[in-house]
Every structure is written in structure tokens, then in C-alpha cells.
Amino acid sequence: MEKTIYSRVGETLFHTRLENGLPIYVNVKPGFRKAFAFFATNYGGMDMRFQLDGTWQETPAGVAHFLEHKMFDTKEGNALQDLAANGASPNAFTSSAITGYYFECTEKFEENLKTLLSFVSVPWFTPESVEKEQGIIGQEIQMIEDDPEWQVFIHLLSGLYEHHPIRFSVAGSRESISHITADTLYACHKAFYNPANMVLCVAGDVDPEQVERLAREILPKDGLSDIPRDYGEPEPTHAAHSVQELRMEVSTPIFQLGFKADPLPQGPEHLRGELIGTLVSEVLAGSSSPLYARLYREGLINKNFGSSFEAYPGCAFLAAGGESRSPEAVRDALLEEARRLSEEGVDEALFLRLKKALYGAMVRSLNSFEHVCIEQAQSHFAGVDYLDFPAVFDSIGKADVEEALRTWCVPARSTLAVVRPKEEAQA
């Protein structure tokens, strides 16, 4: 395996790519008992239209999440129980862009890794088990449909995007999952759960060569590296809707204000774009920004207010929100602050302080094996060397943040999503 030492962050990474196309990253952490393994596929909730064997496939919303649930079932039983019996703490998640399976353990690492690689690569579905899972996931969907914070976020995405499938819930709807069959799951597994579309990331005091050997022994010998996907018609730069509203059982309005950013390119510039977007979020509405302090002082936001930058294939956005008695006043203040910063520029001392704080947070996050492995996987799919972030930071200046503010944070690119309290019943 190729060995790379990242002296600026004190990390040592081993990397190789198997003959079947699977990339493997092992972040060696000498002296630690704990080990973490993350096996991920470049397949998420927004991958609903794709090409397999030369034919375009249309799948319902929610298949990637449904498949994640079903992958733990094996002919012999349940992989979760097998991992737990070996002292591992396993789990999985599905996002809009990826699906990942992982475990953490302090013993029997090799046995647990064999189990992880085996159950993820060998599907087993029956019509009866799929029907049963539809009921289980249907209940899960009901729960999130009753969650005002999730609903305001989904309404934000459907307000920002007109065509991109990011606007659909990763779990789908109870109606959409009713169309999922065992054949649907097998087709999606064949397309996306192949080694060339996946990545294996490990962190701990483990032998990189042993990780490579186990992966070579257990996984399929071939992989499909090219899986064409369709994310809909090209998106206009402006938001699809300026306001999205609904009413639920809440005592105070819950809101999210989003700005439709330009999609980030694949490759080295992707990480740079993510860091610029995060700095824009912090400069505009982060907890250390002047606007945050003013809005908090005026009682327009509370400690639940937060902001972030998100990037996925074909789309990117900034979001800020929480609870407020007047979401419109917060929106107007954010737009005015973005205009002011675009014209007057960002305070140099504030920019340097926020940049230093973000850099420090990223260095501290390297202490988390889980964070390291998940970031490594996501970065691989984006064509980025994540551990090179110190050099990328060096290339970012105040003007980059100001240009992004000037381009993205304007009324035409914004959506305000609000969940308001239900009107009291008339006496």
C-alpha cells in the first residue's frame, strides 16, 4: 500500500486500489485499542434515475434508505446481531449522496471487518421481508413527517430547487416506498454496491496489509466504475420559490432561510469551495458574527439558531435557521447584512479569527476515528484529498468569501421556509 505522511496534521495514511476498483484508506493510529471501519457506497437518496446495463432505470424516492435497512438481513440471520456478539458497535446511515455501514470495536477487529464486507456485498431479499420492511419504514416516515424541524428543512430544499432530486426526503414517502420490490433492491445493489463505486476507510492501530488482504478475499472480483446518473434538468441560479409555509403543532415559528449557491466542481477545488462556503456561513450568521449578536440581543433568535453550508453533486446551499417570533425580520436582517458585507467588505480581524477557528475545529476533529473515516469517504467521492486541508486553507483569502457573499446571498437566490403554529380553533 502507498504510504503518505501529512506532517502538518500529524496523520499517516495508507492507500491502495484493488483490481476490482475498490479504494482502501487506512489511517494508522498507533497505541489505540479502538478501531473503526466505514464501508460506503457512492449512492444516496437523490440517485433515483441511473443507467444499468445500457438501460435507464427509474426508481421511487426512498430506495437507498430502504436498501440500507434491508442489507443487514442475511440468509443466516442478522448482521447487526453478529457484529454485536463480537463486541462491535455497528450502525449505518443514508444521506442524499452516500450510504455507509460501519462499526467500532476494541477487539476482534478482523472478524468484524469480515462480517461488514460480507453482508454489504451479498444481498438477500424476499418479497415477504420487503413487505414487512415497508411497514417498519412507513412508521419511521410518519415520525419524521410529524417533526417540524425536518419538515421545514425539506420545504426549504423544495423552495430552493426546481429540478434537482435533493428536494426529496431521503426516506421517501409512504406512497413511494409502496412501489419498492425485491427486484428494485437487487437492481440498485447491482448498480451501486459494486467495489468500484464504493470505498473502505479504516482508522486505528491496525495492519493496513491485513485490511487489504481481507477485502481482496471477500469482495467481488469485478466492479462497475461508470454508473451514469440523471439529476434532472439544469437548475436556474434563482430559487424556485421565495417562501414556503406550513402549519404544525409548534408554539413558536420554526424557520430556515436558504441561499442557492453555485454547485461545486469535482476534484481539488471541491474542498476549497466547501471551506469558502463554511466561512461565508460563519461570517454572515455564525455565533461569532456581529449580526448573530444583534439578533440575539433583540430577541429575534435564541440559542437554537445555527447556520451551515452543504454541498452535494450538482447542488450547494447555505442555510440558517431556528426559532423566531418573526422569521421575516431575521430574513430581512440577513439579506441586509449580506448586502452590507458585499459592499463594505468583511472585517479583516473577524475573517482571520473565524478562519483560525475553523482550521482549529478541523484539526481537533481528527481525534474522532468516525469523523476521519466518514470525511475520507466523502472526500474520495468528491475527488478530494481531505487531509490536505491545511494547504487549501492557505489559498483562501477574504476576497473569496466576499465574492461568494456577493454572488450567492441575494434575494433572488433565497428561500424562507417557515412552520407556523396552527391557528387556534374558533370557539
Side-chain angles (χ1 to χ4, degrees):
M1 297 181 81
E2 180 181 342
K3 178 181 179 181
T4 305
I5 298 175
Y6 297 84
S7 57
R8 291 184 63 176
V9 291
E11 298 292 321
T12 300
L13 188 71
F14 291 82
H15 168 251
T16 192
R17 186 183 291 270
L18 301 186
E19 295 80 2
N20 58 16
L22 177 75
I24 301 175
Y25 297 90
V26 181
N27 194 300
V28 178
K29 301 280 191 176
F32 284 85
R33 287 191 61 198
K34 180 178 69 176
F36 189 92
F38 185 64
F39 194 26
T41 172
N42 188 16
Y43 171 54
M46 64 189 201
D47 295 305
M48 297 186 289
R49 177 173 158 81
F50 59 92
Q51 195 175 97
L52 178 62
D53 298 331
T55 303
W56 282 100
Q57 307 284 326
E58 302 269 2
T59 57
V63 175
H65 174 255
F66 199 106
L67 188 54
E68 174 221 311
H69 275 235
K70 291 302 300 167
M71 285 310 302
F72 287 99
D73 288 344
T74 66
K75 288 184 178 180
E76 294 75 26
N78 185 276
L80 275 173
Q81 296 173 0
D82 295 339
L83 287 164
N86 263 339
S89 177
N91 214 328
F93 70 84
T94 305
S95 73
S96 293
I98 75 170
T99 304
Y101 304 81
Y102 58 91
F103 70 83
E104 181 180 282
C105 68
T106 57
E107 58 183 358
K108 299 182 179 179
F109 172 77
E110 292 182 10
E111 291 180 38
N112 288 320
L113 182 59
K114 288 179 183 179
T115 301
L116 176 70
L117 296 175
S118 298
F119 83 81
V120 174
S121 60
V122 180
W124 186 75
F125 317 119
T126 65
E128 294 77 18
S129 68
V130 171
E131 183 178 356
K132 179 181 178 181
E133 199 67 38
Q134 285 169 337
I136 296 171
I137 295 180
Q139 293 177 348
E140 183 178 326
I141 290 171
Q142 177 66 57
M143 291 174 62
I144 63 174
E145 286 179 347
D146 292 337
D147 181 350
E149 293 186 357
W150 177 252
Q151 285 300 311
V152 77
F153 181 67
I154 287 298
H155 278 72
L156 172 69
L157 296 181
S158 64
L160 288 173
Y161 293 95
E162 190 172 344
H163 306 297
H164 198 286
I166 191 72
R167 68 191 193 279
F168 296 115
S169 170
V170 170
S173 65
R174 282 169 289 179
E175 195 278 332
S176 71
I177 66 168
S178 70
H179 300 289
I180 296 175
T181 66
D183 288 341
T184 309
L185 299 179
Y186 277 117
C188 291
H189 188 279
K190 179 181 179 182
F192 298 108
Y193 282 66
N194 76 83
N197 190 59
M198 302 185 76
V199 64
L200 173 62
C201 300
V202 173
D205 192 357
V206 300
D207 180 0
E209 302 294 339
Q210 180 71 350
V211 172
E212 177 185 359
R213 184 184 66 78
L214 289 174
R216 181 173 278 111
E217 287 179 1
I218 294 171
L219 297 177
K221 304 305 178 187
D222 300 310
L224 305 170
S225 59
D226 183 27
I227 312 195
R229 309 164 197 225
D230 181 9
Y231 295 137
E233 298 177 28
E235 280 283 342
T237 57
H238 63 265
H241 306 282
S242 60
V243 178
Q244 295 274 78
E245 290 192 10
L246 68 157
R247 293 188 178 272
M248 298 181 70
E249 296 288 352
V250 296
S251 58
T252 304
I254 296 174
F255 77 99
Q256 285 286 334
L257 175 67
F259 294 104
K260 193 174 187 178
D262 295 333
L264 302 184
Q266 290 288 101
E269 283 299 305
H270 186 93
L271 179 56
R272 190 170 188 273
E274 282 193 325
L275 295 177
I276 290 172
T278 302
L279 285 168
V280 169
S281 170
E282 290 298 313
V283 165
L284 179 61
S287 58
S288 297
S289 68
L291 180 63
Y292 181 99
R294 178 168 70 82
L295 294 176
Y296 191 89
R297 188 171 60 250
E298 294 174 356
L300 285 171
I301 62 173
N302 57 29
K303 63 181 180 180
N304 293 324
F305 182 86
S307 61
S308 65
F309 176 78
E310 303 287 341
Y312 300 93
C315 69
F317 58 90
L318 289 99
E323 298 175 345
S324 178
R325 54 184 167 80
S326 180
E328 291 79 9
V330 179
R331 174 198 59 195
D332 294 344
L334 282 162
L335 286 168
E336 174 57 27
E337 180 70 352
R339 184 200 62 77
R340 184 189 71 79
L341 292 171
S342 297
E343 293 181 359
E344 300 177 9
V346 177
D347 178 76
E348 180 76 22
L350 174 65
F351 170 75
L352 293 176
R353 187 167 70 251
L354 293 175
K355 183 178 177 181
K356 184 177 180 180
L358 178 58
Y359 180 87
M362 293 185 71
V363 171
R364 289 192 300 274
S365 72
L366 297 177
N367 293 323
S368 166
F369 290 8
E370 178 177 355
H371 180 86
V372 166
C373 288
I374 293 175
E375 283 292 336
Q376 189 70 61
Q378 292 176 325
S379 298
H380 169 79
F381 293 141
V384 169
D385 186 347
Y386 168 68
L387 292 174
D388 259 346
F389 69 83
V392 178
F393 258 105
D394 292 343
S395 73
I396 297 174
K398 188 166 72 81
D400 297 309
V401 172
E402 291 167 346
E403 177 59 26
L405 271 166
R406 191 176 299 114
T407 304
W408 301 341
C409 301
V410 295
R413 288 183 178 234
S414 70
T415 294
L416 177 65
V418 184
V419 173
R420 300 190 186 279
K422 285 188 174 180
E423 295 179 353
E424 294 184 2
Q426 296 294 324

